[in-house]
Amino acid sequence: GQQLNQSPQSMFIQEGEDVSMNCTSSSIFNTWLWYKQEPGEGPVLLIALYKAGELTSNGRLTAQFGITRKDSFLNISASIPSDVGIYFCAGHFGGGSNYKLTFGKGTLLTVNP
Amino acid sequence: EPEVTQTPSHQVTQMGQEVILRCVPISNHLYFYWYRQILGQKVEFLVSFYNNEISEKSEIFDDQFSVERPDGSNFTLKIRSTKLEDSAMYFCASRQGGNQPQHFGDGTRLSIL
């Protein structure tokens, strides 16, 4: 099946620092999504990307859909303690209307106050 | 904001017993999904459901699994004879249609003893 390679696996940063994480795929994706998961909760949608080259922001978060459609990155600027959590990239590829998602393995972000 | 709700939050079941996980998708959504997340691993697709039938299922979704939309609001996942390896977080998701993204519930933690 499709595989998404997400890196880094974990990050430990100081409050106020910027963060970058990315996902790559061997196949073309039609949609890239970034979710955040906190303990005991489900994934919460942060940003959705639908077109190659698209750059979208949500507050301090910025994500881009790579031109080749095989990669995406998520940046968090000026991190704060509540940014702590696991960030997942997810993508949908192929035709049809099912839109099943393939997830990356996640990036665990720890922010030191 | 509307959300996907799942019950129970934690289910403990003896191996071999049947279990039913319940979900109430967002009310105007048409596509429904179940995903599984084994502890420490990525989120994996199980099944998608549209227009009262399964539209796609993964290899994980074998004959022990079934889904149902018994009324206009609930969407259930049944595991007929649970195995130890079924222990995981099970997430329900729904989306409206078109290219709208999936929204996830907070999950049911299933523990098989």
Side-chain angles (χ1 to χ4, degrees), chain A residues 35 50 97-101, chain B residues 33 35 55-56 95 102:
Chain A
Y35 289 88
Y50 300 105
S97 59
N98 294 329
Y99 282 70
K100 74 172 187 183
L101 295 179
Chain B
Y33 306 82
Y35 290 82
S55 44
E56 187 170 355
R95 69 181 185 92
Q102 295 174 34

Side-chain angles (χ1 to χ4, degrees), chain A residues 22-101:
Chain A
N22 70 84
C23 274
T24 59
S25 168
S26 56
S27 301
I28 289 173
F29 274 64
N30 293 335
T31 303
W32 283 97
L33 305 168
W34 285 92
Y35 289 88
K36 179 186 178 187
Q37 186 179 28
E38 297 186 33
E41 298 182 8
V44 175
L45 181 68
L46 299 174
I47 293 179
L49 302 160
Y50 300 105
K51 291 189 234 180
E54 181 180 354
L55 183 72
T56 297
S57 292
N58 177 8
R60 294 178 294 105
L61 278 60
T62 302
Q64 184 159 32
F65 192 141
I67 289 288
T68 65
R69 295 169 63 191
K70 292 183 179 181
D71 63 311
S72 177
F73 71 74
L74 175 70
N75 288 343
I76 305 173
S77 62
S79 58
I80 58 178
S82 61
D83 290 334
V84 165
I86 303 176
Y87 291 79
F88 289 99
C89 63
H92 157 251
F93 66 96
S97 59
N98 294 329
Y99 282 70
K100 74 172 187 183
L101 295 179

Side-chain angles (χ1 to χ4, degrees), chain B residues 6 8-12 21 35-44 46 60 65 77 79 83-91 107-112:
Chain B
Q6 290 186 242
S9 57
H10 191 188
Q11 174 78 46
V12 182
L21 310 182
Y35 290 82
R36 178 182 83 175
Q37 185 180 33
I38 293 173
L39 184 63
Q41 299 187 22
K42 66 178 182 179
V43 178
E44 300 175 289
L46 291 178
I60 302 169
F65 291 84
L77 174 69
I79 309 175
K83 304 187 284 287
L84 293 176
E85 55 265 37
D86 294 328
S87 295
M89 284 290 290
Y90 287 80
F91 293 107
T108 293
R109 179 174 298 284
L110 178 63
S111 300
I112 307 300

